[in-house]
mmCIF file of all heavy atoms in Angstrom:
data_model
loop_
_atom_site.group_PDB
_atom_site.id
_atom_site.type_symbol
_atom_site.label_atom_id
_atom_site.label_comp_id
_atom_site.label_asym_id
_atom_site.label_seq_id
_atom_site.Cartn_x
_atom_site.Cartn_y
_atom_site.Cartn_z
ATOM 1 N N SER V 247 -4.838 33.609 3.665
ATOM 2 C CA SER V 247 -5.392 34.945 3.527
ATOM 3 C C SER V 247 -4.567 35.777 2.631
ATOM 4 O O SER V 247 -3.297 35.630 2.614
ATOM 5 C CB SER V 247 -5.656 35.588 4.862
ATOM 6 O OG SER V 247 -4.380 35.747 5.592
ATOM 7 N N MET V 248 -5.211 36.699 1.925
ATOM 8 C CA MET V 248 -4.438 37.622 1.049
ATOM 9 C C MET V 248 -5.127 38.972 1.050
ATOM 10 O O MET V 248 -6.316 39.106 1.053
ATOM 11 C CB MET V 248 -4.559 37.020 -0.382
ATOM 12 C CG MET V 248 -3.787 35.750 -0.654
ATOM 13 S SD MET V 248 -1.979 35.982 -0.542
ATOM 14 C CE MET V 248 -1.711 36.900 -2.049
ATOM 15 N N PRO V 249 -4.306 40.048 1.117
ATOM 16 C CA PRO V 249 -4.875 41.420 0.946
ATOM 17 C C PRO V 249 -5.247 41.694 -0.499
ATOM 18 O O PRO V 249 -4.485 41.245 -1.404
ATOM 19 C CB PRO V 249 -3.749 42.281 1.432
ATOM 20 C CG PRO V 249 -2.533 41.520 1.148
ATOM 21 C CD PRO V 249 -2.865 40.091 1.328
ATOM 22 N N VAL V 250 -6.357 42.373 -0.713
ATOM 23 C CA VAL V 250 -6.756 42.667 -2.118
ATOM 24 C C VAL V 250 -7.294 44.131 -2.153
ATOM 25 O O VAL V 250 -7.661 44.710 -1.128
ATOM 26 C CB VAL V 250 -7.931 41.732 -2.533
ATOM 27 C CG1 VAL V 250 -7.391 40.318 -2.598
ATOM 28 C CG2 VAL V 250 -9.145 41.876 -1.684
ATOM 29 N N GLU V 251 -7.267 44.686 -3.367
ATOM 30 C CA GLU V 251 -7.855 45.965 -3.557
ATOM 31 C C GLU V 251 -9.372 45.895 -3.622
ATOM 32 O O GLU V 251 -9.921 44.871 -3.951
ATOM 33 C CB GLU V 251 -7.296 46.593 -4.846
ATOM 34 C CG GLU V 251 -5.760 46.806 -4.832
ATOM 35 C CD GLU V 251 -5.317 47.679 -3.710
ATOM 36 O OE1 GLU V 251 -5.994 48.800 -3.570
ATOM 37 O OE2 GLU V 251 -4.371 47.369 -3.040
ATOM 38 N N ALA V 252 -10.015 47.054 -3.357
ATOM 39 C CA ALA V 252 -11.454 47.055 -3.284
ATOM 40 C C ALA V 252 -12.093 46.779 -4.618
ATOM 41 O O ALA V 252 -13.229 46.279 -4.681
ATOM 42 C CB ALA V 252 -11.915 48.450 -2.774
ATOM 43 N N SER V 253 -11.370 46.958 -5.658
ATOM 44 C CA SER V 253 -11.933 46.700 -7.019
ATOM 45 C C SER V 253 -11.970 45.217 -7.471
ATOM 46 O O SER V 253 -12.592 44.931 -8.505
ATOM 47 C CB SER V 253 -11.064 47.470 -8.084
ATOM 48 O OG SER V 253 -9.675 47.012 -8.030
ATOM 49 N N VAL V 254 -11.519 44.298 -6.659
ATOM 50 C CA VAL V 254 -11.517 42.940 -7.021
ATOM 51 C C VAL V 254 -12.907 42.376 -7.083
ATOM 52 O O VAL V 254 -13.848 42.773 -6.325
ATOM 53 C CB VAL V 254 -10.696 42.097 -5.928
ATOM 54 C CG1 VAL V 254 -11.435 42.105 -4.634
ATOM 55 C CG2 VAL V 254 -10.461 40.717 -6.470
ATOM 56 N N GLN V 255 -13.142 41.541 -8.117
ATOM 57 C CA GLN V 255 -14.481 40.899 -8.309
ATOM 58 C C GLN V 255 -14.456 39.476 -7.721
ATOM 59 O O GLN V 255 -13.447 38.786 -7.974
ATOM 60 C CB GLN V 255 -14.836 40.927 -9.791
ATOM 61 C CG GLN V 255 -14.922 42.288 -10.423
ATOM 62 C CD GLN V 255 -15.276 42.189 -11.878
ATOM 63 O OE1 GLN V 255 -16.088 41.400 -12.272
ATOM 64 N NE2 GLN V 255 -14.669 43.079 -12.743
ATOM 65 N N ILE V 256 -15.418 39.101 -6.998
ATOM 66 C CA ILE V 256 -15.369 37.935 -6.199
ATOM 67 C C ILE V 256 -16.685 37.142 -6.431
ATOM 68 O O ILE V 256 -17.776 37.684 -6.364
ATOM 69 C CB ILE V 256 -15.219 38.152 -4.688
ATOM 70 C CG1 ILE V 256 -14.131 39.148 -4.423
ATOM 71 C CG2 ILE V 256 -15.049 36.858 -3.903
ATOM 72 C CD1 ILE V 256 -14.182 39.767 -3.061
ATOM 73 N N ALA V 257 -16.577 35.722 -6.623
ATOM 74 C CA ALA V 257 -17.720 34.904 -6.723
ATOM 75 C C ALA V 257 -17.356 33.586 -6.151
ATOM 76 O O ALA V 257 -16.226 33.088 -6.263
ATOM 77 C CB ALA V 257 -18.230 34.714 -8.169
ATOM 78 N N VAL V 258 -18.232 32.978 -5.351
ATOM 79 C CA VAL V 258 -17.991 31.664 -4.745
ATOM 80 C C VAL V 258 -19.079 30.730 -5.175
ATOM 81 O O VAL V 258 -20.216 31.145 -5.490
ATOM 82 C CB VAL V 258 -17.905 31.727 -3.232
ATOM 83 C CG1 VAL V 258 -16.799 32.683 -2.777
ATOM 84 C CG2 VAL V 258 -19.224 32.159 -2.606
ATOM 85 N N ARG V 259 -18.741 29.472 -5.273
ATOM 86 C CA ARG V 259 -19.604 28.391 -5.676
ATOM 87 C C ARG V 259 -19.069 27.045 -5.107
ATOM 88 O O ARG V 259 -17.997 27.030 -4.575
ATOM 89 C CB ARG V 259 -19.746 28.314 -7.174
ATOM 90 C CG ARG V 259 -18.558 27.818 -7.934
ATOM 91 C CD ARG V 259 -18.627 28.125 -9.377
ATOM 92 N NE ARG V 259 -18.459 29.554 -9.691
ATOM 93 C CZ ARG V 259 -18.925 30.162 -10.784
ATOM 94 N NH1 ARG V 259 -19.646 29.435 -11.614
ATOM 95 N NH2 ARG V 259 -18.703 31.369 -10.994
ATOM 96 N N ARG V 260 -19.891 26.017 -5.273
ATOM 97 C CA ARG V 260 -19.426 24.660 -4.830
ATOM 98 C C ARG V 260 -18.360 24.188 -5.895
ATOM 99 O O ARG V 260 -18.526 24.302 -7.103
ATOM 100 C CB ARG V 260 -20.582 23.731 -4.751
ATOM 101 C CG ARG V 260 -20.116 22.293 -4.288
ATOM 102 C CD ARG V 260 -21.348 21.423 -3.970
ATOM 103 N NE ARG V 260 -20.900 20.111 -3.644
ATOM 104 C CZ ARG V 260 -21.579 19.178 -3.074
ATOM 105 N NH1 ARG V 260 -22.862 19.469 -2.723
ATOM 106 N NH2 ARG V 260 -21.053 17.972 -2.767
ATOM 107 N N GLU V 261 -17.308 23.593 -5.326
ATOM 108 C CA GLU V 261 -16.255 22.962 -6.185
ATOM 109 C C GLU V 261 -16.801 21.750 -6.853
ATOM 110 O O GLU V 261 -17.734 21.107 -6.325
ATOM 111 C CB GLU V 261 -15.027 22.706 -5.348
ATOM 112 C CG GLU V 261 -13.815 22.178 -6.091
ATOM 113 C CD GLU V 261 -13.370 23.075 -7.278
ATOM 114 O OE1 GLU V 261 -14.021 22.882 -8.354
ATOM 115 O OE2 GLU V 261 -12.472 23.827 -7.089
ATOM 116 N N THR V 262 -16.228 21.404 -8.001
ATOM 117 C CA THR V 262 -16.738 20.240 -8.756
ATOM 118 C C THR V 262 -16.288 18.914 -8.151
ATOM 119 O O THR V 262 -16.800 17.890 -8.505
ATOM 120 C CB THR V 262 -16.246 20.371 -10.243
ATOM 121 O OG1 THR V 262 -14.856 20.456 -10.235
ATOM 122 C CG2 THR V 262 -16.894 21.544 -10.903
ATOM 123 N N PHE V 263 -15.253 18.941 -7.292
ATOM 124 C CA PHE V 263 -14.853 17.711 -6.664
ATOM 125 C C PHE V 263 -14.981 17.897 -5.124
ATOM 126 O O PHE V 263 -15.193 18.984 -4.626
ATOM 127 C CB PHE V 263 -13.428 17.377 -7.003
ATOM 128 C CG PHE V 263 -12.409 18.394 -6.754
ATOM 129 C CD1 PHE V 263 -11.792 18.628 -5.516
ATOM 130 C CD2 PHE V 263 -12.066 19.310 -7.830
ATOM 131 C CE1 PHE V 263 -10.893 19.645 -5.339
ATOM 132 C CE2 PHE V 263 -11.132 20.336 -7.581
ATOM 133 C CZ PHE V 263 -10.556 20.462 -6.313
ATOM 134 N N ASN V 264 -14.869 16.771 -4.364
ATOM 135 C CA ASN V 264 -15.081 16.726 -2.947
ATOM 136 C C ASN V 264 -13.785 16.385 -2.183
ATOM 137 O O ASN V 264 -12.797 15.849 -2.786
ATOM 138 C CB ASN V 264 -16.134 15.772 -2.480
ATOM 139 C CG ASN V 264 -17.550 16.067 -2.997
ATOM 140 O OD1 ASN V 264 -17.823 17.224 -3.205
ATOM 141 N ND2 ASN V 264 -18.392 15.064 -3.195
ATOM 142 N N ALA V 265 -13.726 16.641 -0.937
ATOM 143 C CA ALA V 265 -12.744 15.978 0.014
ATOM 144 C C ALA V 265 -13.401 14.744 0.565
ATOM 145 O O ALA V 265 -14.519 14.682 0.820
ATOM 146 C CB ALA V 265 -12.371 16.940 1.064
ATOM 147 N N ARG V 266 -12.502 13.681 0.610
ATOM 148 C CA ARG V 266 -12.968 12.396 1.105
ATOM 149 C C ARG V 266 -12.268 12.073 2.375
ATOM 150 O O ARG V 266 -11.042 11.886 2.449
ATOM 151 C CB ARG V 266 -12.727 11.274 -0.001
ATOM 152 C CG ARG V 266 -13.258 11.668 -1.337
ATOM 153 C CD ARG V 266 -13.074 10.551 -2.331
ATOM 154 N NE ARG V 266 -13.933 9.444 -2.079
ATOM 155 C CZ ARG V 266 -13.720 8.221 -2.376
ATOM 156 N NH1 ARG V 266 -12.534 7.874 -2.931
ATOM 157 N NH2 ARG V 266 -14.615 7.264 -2.182
ATOM 158 N N LEU V 267 -13.047 11.992 3.509
ATOM 159 C CA LEU V 267 -12.425 11.776 4.810
ATOM 160 C C LEU V 267 -12.741 10.329 5.229
ATOM 161 O O LEU V 267 -13.900 9.860 5.086
ATOM 162 C CB LEU V 267 -13.077 12.719 5.841
ATOM 163 C CG LEU V 267 -12.891 14.217 5.496
ATOM 164 C CD1 LEU V 267 -13.400 15.070 6.680
ATOM 165 C CD2 LEU V 267 -11.519 14.588 5.173
ATOM 166 N N VAL V 268 -11.718 9.655 5.775
ATOM 167 C CA VAL V 268 -11.877 8.318 6.305
ATOM 168 C C VAL V 268 -12.468 8.368 7.670
ATOM 169 O O VAL V 268 -12.005 9.106 8.550
ATOM 170 C CB VAL V 268 -10.479 7.554 6.339
ATOM 171 C CG1 VAL V 268 -10.630 6.201 6.986
ATOM 172 C CG2 VAL V 268 -9.933 7.424 4.997
ATOM 173 N N LYS V 269 -13.514 7.602 7.988
ATOM 174 C CA LYS V 269 -14.128 7.560 9.218
ATOM 175 C C LYS V 269 -14.158 6.103 9.690
ATOM 176 O O LYS V 269 -14.715 5.293 9.013
ATOM 177 C CB LYS V 269 -15.540 8.179 9.269
ATOM 178 C CG LYS V 269 -15.580 9.692 8.982
ATOM 179 C CD LYS V 269 -14.880 10.441 9.997
ATOM 180 C CE LYS V 269 -14.836 11.926 9.771
ATOM 181 N NZ LYS V 269 -14.067 12.697 10.755
ATOM 182 N N LEU V 270 -13.667 5.795 10.886
ATOM 183 C CA LEU V 270 -13.797 4.436 11.436
ATOM 184 C C LEU V 270 -15.259 4.238 11.813
ATOM 185 O O LEU V 270 -15.977 5.198 12.097
ATOM 186 C CB LEU V 270 -12.850 4.232 12.555
ATOM 187 C CG LEU V 270 -11.371 4.402 12.254
ATOM 188 C CD1 LEU V 270 -10.538 3.949 13.354
ATOM 189 C CD2 LEU V 270 -11.000 3.731 10.979
ATOM 190 N N ASN V 271 -15.641 3.022 12.013
ATOM 191 C CA ASN V 271 -17.001 2.648 12.301
ATOM 192 C C ASN V 271 -17.510 3.142 13.605
ATOM 193 O O ASN V 271 -18.728 3.293 13.831
ATOM 194 C CB ASN V 271 -17.194 1.125 12.208
ATOM 195 C CG ASN V 271 -16.984 0.638 10.760
ATOM 196 O OD1 ASN V 271 -17.208 1.339 9.861
ATOM 197 N ND2 ASN V 271 -16.599 -0.615 10.681
ATOM 198 N N HIS V 272 -16.558 3.471 14.530
ATOM 199 C CA HIS V 272 -17.006 3.922 15.860
ATOM 200 C C HIS V 272 -17.134 5.389 15.971
ATOM 201 O O HIS V 272 -17.463 6.019 16.968
ATOM 202 C CB HIS V 272 -16.037 3.491 16.972
ATOM 203 C CG HIS V 272 -14.683 4.140 16.911
ATOM 204 N ND1 HIS V 272 -13.706 3.824 15.991
ATOM 205 C CD2 HIS V 272 -14.203 5.216 17.570
ATOM 206 C CE1 HIS V 272 -12.660 4.547 16.245
ATOM 207 N NE2 HIS V 272 -12.983 5.480 17.161
ATOM 208 N N VAL V 273 -16.764 6.130 14.824
ATOM 209 C CA VAL V 273 -16.775 7.568 14.834
ATOM 210 C C VAL V 273 -17.879 8.106 13.909
ATOM 211 O O VAL V 273 -17.968 7.647 12.781
ATOM 212 C CB VAL V 273 -15.425 8.127 14.335
ATOM 213 C CG1 VAL V 273 -15.424 9.639 14.273
ATOM 214 C CG2 VAL V 273 -14.290 7.707 15.274
ATOM 215 N N ASN V 274 -18.730 9.024 14.401
ATOM 216 C CA ASN V 274 -19.694 9.681 13.456
ATOM 217 C C ASN V 274 -19.794 11.182 13.906
ATOM 218 O O ASN V 274 -19.350 11.580 14.952
ATOM 219 C CB ASN V 274 -21.002 8.953 13.477
ATOM 220 C CG ASN V 274 -21.695 9.019 14.868
ATOM 221 O OD1 ASN V 274 -22.024 10.045 15.392
ATOM 222 N ND2 ASN V 274 -21.788 7.798 15.467
ATOM 223 N N PHE V 275 -20.396 11.968 13.036
ATOM 224 C CA PHE V 275 -20.468 13.384 13.227
ATOM 225 C C PHE V 275 -21.196 13.736 14.484
ATOM 226 O O PHE V 275 -20.847 14.636 15.234
ATOM 227 C CB PHE V 275 -21.085 14.025 12.037
ATOM 228 C CG PHE V 275 -21.186 15.533 12.173
ATOM 229 C CD1 PHE V 275 -20.057 16.382 12.031
ATOM 230 C CD2 PHE V 275 -22.432 16.135 12.388
ATOM 231 C CE1 PHE V 275 -20.150 17.708 12.049
ATOM 232 C CE2 PHE V 275 -22.491 17.548 12.505
ATOM 233 C CZ PHE V 275 -21.346 18.328 12.309
ATOM 234 N N LEU V 276 -22.225 13.029 14.784
ATOM 235 C CA LEU V 276 -23.111 13.380 16.011
ATOM 236 C C LEU V 276 -22.322 13.070 17.266
ATOM 237 O O LEU V 276 -22.440 13.876 18.218
ATOM 238 C CB LEU V 276 -24.398 12.582 15.977
ATOM 239 C CG LEU V 276 -25.285 12.839 14.728
ATOM 240 C CD1 LEU V 276 -26.554 12.032 14.834
ATOM 241 C CD2 LEU V 276 -25.655 14.355 14.626
ATOM 242 N N SER V 277 -21.580 11.954 17.329
ATOM 243 C CA SER V 277 -20.796 11.737 18.516
ATOM 244 C C SER V 277 -19.692 12.836 18.685
ATOM 245 O O SER V 277 -19.364 13.177 19.815
ATOM 246 C CB SER V 277 -20.248 10.321 18.473
ATOM 247 O OG SER V 277 -19.266 10.167 17.437
ATOM 248 N N THR V 278 -19.084 13.197 17.558
ATOM 249 C CA THR V 278 -18.073 14.253 17.581
ATOM 250 C C THR V 278 -18.671 15.586 18.116
ATOM 251 O O THR V 278 -18.003 16.280 18.982
ATOM 252 C CB THR V 278 -17.470 14.471 16.162
ATOM 253 O OG1 THR V 278 -16.960 13.258 15.712
ATOM 254 C CG2 THR V 278 -16.394 15.505 16.195
ATOM 255 N N LEU V 279 -19.844 15.923 17.648
ATOM 256 C CA LEU V 279 -20.506 17.135 18.161
ATOM 257 C C LEU V 279 -20.694 17.059 19.705
ATOM 258 O O LEU V 279 -20.373 17.984 20.396
ATOM 259 C CB LEU V 279 -21.908 17.268 17.583
ATOM 260 C CG LEU V 279 -22.068 18.011 16.200
ATOM 261 C CD1 LEU V 279 -23.483 18.102 15.824
ATOM 262 C CD2 LEU V 279 -21.420 19.420 16.282
ATOM 263 N N ARG V 280 -21.199 15.926 20.135
ATOM 264 C CA ARG V 280 -21.389 15.831 21.637
ATOM 265 C C ARG V 280 -20.084 15.919 22.409
ATOM 266 O O ARG V 280 -20.060 16.554 23.407
ATOM 267 C CB ARG V 280 -22.094 14.529 21.904
ATOM 268 C CG ARG V 280 -23.580 14.505 21.361
ATOM 269 C CD ARG V 280 -24.278 13.230 21.959
ATOM 270 N NE ARG V 280 -23.647 11.946 21.698
ATOM 271 C CZ ARG V 280 -23.873 11.240 20.608
ATOM 272 N NH1 ARG V 280 -24.761 11.675 19.707
ATOM 273 N NH2 ARG V 280 -23.258 10.081 20.391
ATOM 274 N N ASN V 281 -19.118 15.273 21.865
ATOM 275 C CA ASN V 281 -17.847 15.261 22.658
ATOM 276 C C ASN V 281 -17.049 16.559 22.573
ATOM 277 O O ASN V 281 -16.561 16.999 23.594
ATOM 278 C CB ASN V 281 -16.941 14.129 22.042
ATOM 279 C CG ASN V 281 -17.458 12.744 22.370
ATOM 280 O OD1 ASN V 281 -18.122 12.539 23.414
ATOM 281 N ND2 ASN V 281 -17.245 11.816 21.486
ATOM 282 N N LYS V 282 -17.048 17.160 21.391
ATOM 283 C CA LYS V 282 -16.263 18.400 21.246
ATOM 284 C C LYS V 282 -16.960 19.642 21.737
ATOM 285 O O LYS V 282 -16.342 20.561 22.171
ATOM 286 C CB LYS V 282 -15.887 18.615 19.762
ATOM 287 C CG LYS V 282 -15.123 17.494 19.153
ATOM 288 C CD LYS V 282 -13.814 17.175 19.886
ATOM 289 C CE LYS V 282 -13.085 16.036 19.268
ATOM 290 N NZ LYS V 282 -11.816 15.743 19.959
ATOM 291 N N LEU V 283 -18.258 19.678 21.671
ATOM 292 C CA LEU V 283 -19.040 20.838 22.154
ATOM 293 C C LEU V 283 -19.707 20.653 23.532
ATOM 294 O O LEU V 283 -20.442 21.423 23.988
ATOM 295 C CB LEU V 283 -20.148 21.208 21.122
ATOM 296 C CG LEU V 283 -19.654 21.624 19.756
ATOM 297 C CD1 LEU V 283 -20.831 22.059 18.829
ATOM 298 C CD2 LEU V 283 -18.642 22.827 19.836
ATOM 299 N N ASN V 284 -19.387 19.484 24.136
ATOM 300 C CA ASN V 284 -19.899 19.127 25.415
ATOM 301 C C ASN V 284 -21.411 19.114 25.485
ATOM 302 O O ASN V 284 -22.070 19.409 26.445
ATOM 303 C CB ASN V 284 -19.387 20.144 26.523
ATOM 304 C CG ASN V 284 -17.879 19.953 26.654
ATOM 305 O OD1 ASN V 284 -17.366 18.920 26.603
ATOM 306 N ND2 ASN V 284 -17.237 21.113 26.974
ATOM 307 N N TRP V 285 -21.998 18.647 24.314
ATOM 308 C CA TRP V 285 -23.472 18.492 24.353
ATOM 309 C C TRP V 285 -23.852 17.275 25.239
ATOM 310 O O TRP V 285 -23.110 16.307 25.279
ATOM 311 C CB TRP V 285 -23.980 18.233 22.942
ATOM 312 C CG TRP V 285 -24.007 19.477 22.125
ATOM 313 C CD1 TRP V 285 -23.467 20.672 22.362
ATOM 314 C CD2 TRP V 285 -24.543 19.629 20.807
ATOM 315 N NE1 TRP V 285 -23.662 21.517 21.331
ATOM 316 C CE2 TRP V 285 -24.275 20.896 20.360
ATOM 317 C CE3 TRP V 285 -25.279 18.725 19.966
ATOM 318 C CZ2 TRP V 285 -24.752 21.375 19.124
ATOM 319 C CZ3 TRP V 285 -25.658 19.111 18.749
ATOM 320 C CH2 TRP V 285 -25.385 20.453 18.280
ATOM 321 N N GLY V 286 -24.948 17.345 25.871
ATOM 322 C CA GLY V 286 -25.391 16.180 26.677
ATOM 323 C C GLY V 286 -24.982 16.202 28.065
ATOM 324 O O GLY V 286 -25.294 15.341 28.898
ATOM 325 N N LEU V 287 -24.074 17.233 28.475
ATOM 326 C CA LEU V 287 -23.638 17.283 29.812
ATOM 327 C C LEU V 287 -24.772 17.923 30.708
ATOM 328 O O LEU V 287 -24.686 19.056 31.183
ATOM 329 C CB LEU V 287 -22.315 18.049 29.939
ATOM 330 C CG LEU V 287 -21.156 17.490 29.187
ATOM 331 C CD1 LEU V 287 -19.870 18.280 29.482
ATOM 332 C CD2 LEU V 287 -20.868 15.968 29.696
ATOM 333 N N ASP V 288 -25.780 17.130 30.911
ATOM 334 C CA ASP V 288 -26.996 17.605 31.643
ATOM 335 C C ASP V 288 -27.471 16.469 32.566
ATOM 336 O O ASP V 288 -27.747 15.348 32.024
ATOM 337 C CB ASP V 288 -28.077 17.996 30.643
ATOM 338 C CG ASP V 288 -29.229 18.774 31.265
ATOM 339 O OD1 ASP V 288 -29.664 18.348 32.424
ATOM 340 O OD2 ASP V 288 -29.661 19.720 30.732
ATOM 341 N N ARG V 289 -27.592 16.788 33.781
ATOM 342 C CA ARG V 289 -27.903 15.629 34.777
ATOM 343 C C ARG V 289 -29.316 15.144 34.497
ATOM 344 O O ARG V 289 -29.712 14.042 34.961
ATOM 345 C CB ARG V 289 -27.824 16.189 36.197
ATOM 346 C CG ARG V 289 -28.828 17.285 36.584
ATOM 347 C CD ARG V 289 -28.701 17.679 37.953
ATOM 348 N NE ARG V 289 -27.351 18.223 38.271
ATOM 349 C CZ ARG V 289 -26.856 18.519 39.426
ATOM 350 N NH1 ARG V 289 -27.619 18.253 40.506
ATOM 351 N NH2 ARG V 289 -25.657 19.049 39.627
ATOM 352 N N ARG V 290 -30.129 15.845 33.657
ATOM 353 C CA ARG V 290 -31.477 15.400 33.428
ATOM 354 C C ARG V 290 -31.494 14.220 32.291
ATOM 355 O O ARG V 290 -32.478 13.613 32.148
ATOM 356 C CB ARG V 290 -32.398 16.536 32.963
ATOM 357 C CG ARG V 290 -32.576 17.585 34.043
ATOM 358 C CD ARG V 290 -33.319 18.856 33.442
ATOM 359 N NE ARG V 290 -32.399 19.493 32.457
ATOM 360 C CZ ARG V 290 -32.723 20.592 31.775
ATOM 361 N NH1 ARG V 290 -33.889 21.121 31.970
ATOM 362 N NH2 ARG V 290 -31.836 21.097 30.891
ATOM 363 N N ASN V 291 -30.369 14.128 31.593
ATOM 364 C CA ASN V 291 -30.270 13.122 30.557
ATOM 365 C C ASN V 291 -30.222 11.695 31.161
ATOM 366 O O ASN V 291 -29.551 11.584 32.128
ATOM 367 C CB ASN V 291 -29.088 13.384 29.639
ATOM 368 C CG ASN V 291 -29.296 14.555 28.712
ATOM 369 O OD1 ASN V 291 -30.401 15.002 28.487
ATOM 370 N ND2 ASN V 291 -28.214 15.123 28.214
ATOM 371 N N PRO V 292 -30.830 10.760 30.538
ATOM 372 C CA PRO V 292 -30.749 9.366 31.079
ATOM 373 C C PRO V 292 -29.349 8.912 31.147
ATOM 374 O O PRO V 292 -28.526 9.121 30.273
ATOM 375 C CB PRO V 292 -31.528 8.563 30.035
ATOM 376 C CG PRO V 292 -32.515 9.572 29.334
ATOM 377 C CD PRO V 292 -31.696 10.835 29.351
ATOM 378 N N ALA V 293 -29.046 8.237 32.254
ATOM 379 C CA ALA V 293 -27.697 7.708 32.567
ATOM 380 C C ALA V 293 -27.228 6.744 31.532
ATOM 381 O O ALA V 293 -26.098 6.552 31.345
ATOM 382 C CB ALA V 293 -27.620 7.175 33.945
ATOM 383 N N GLY V 294 -28.135 6.018 30.880
ATOM 384 C CA GLY V 294 -27.773 4.975 29.946
ATOM 385 C C GLY V 294 -27.402 5.387 28.593
ATOM 386 O O GLY V 294 -26.895 4.680 27.775
ATOM 387 N N ILE V 295 -27.610 6.715 28.274
ATOM 388 C CA ILE V 295 -27.295 7.247 26.985
ATOM 389 C C ILE V 295 -25.798 7.482 26.914
ATOM 390 O O ILE V 295 -25.238 8.301 27.660
ATOM 391 C CB ILE V 295 -28.098 8.550 26.672
ATOM 392 C CG1 ILE V 295 -29.594 8.130 26.576
ATOM 393 C CG2 ILE V 295 -27.628 9.135 25.305
ATOM 394 C CD1 ILE V 295 -30.473 9.304 26.212
ATOM 395 N N GLN V 296 -25.107 6.896 25.902
ATOM 396 C CA GLN V 296 -23.694 7.129 25.634
ATOM 397 C C GLN V 296 -23.423 8.428 24.997
ATOM 398 O O GLN V 296 -24.001 8.711 23.956
ATOM 399 C CB GLN V 296 -23.128 5.975 24.900
ATOM 400 C CG GLN V 296 -21.615 6.066 24.714
ATOM 401 C CD GLN V 296 -21.000 4.941 24.006
ATOM 402 O OE1 GLN V 296 -21.775 4.009 23.491
ATOM 403 N NE2 GLN V 296 -19.772 4.767 23.779
#
Side-chain angles (χ1 to χ4, degrees):
S247 61
M248 294 289 292
V250 297
E251 298 300 314
S253 59
V254 67
Q255 298 181 41
I256 311 163
V258 301
R259 67 193 75 203
R260 179 170 177 166
E261 184 53 276
T262 56
F263 53 86
N264 294 334
R266 308 183 74 207
L267 304 186
V268 175
K269 295 296 180 183
L270 300 191
N271 294 332
H272 71 277
V273 176
N274 63 64
F275 181 73
L276 299 181
S277 66
T278 300
L279 273 183
R280 292 193 300 272
N281 292 330
K282 302 302 180 180
L283 296 182
N284 293 326
W285 286 10
L287 297 182
D288 190 319
R289 67 180 60 190
R290 295 170 297 180
N291 288 339
I295 294 181
Q296 184 178 1

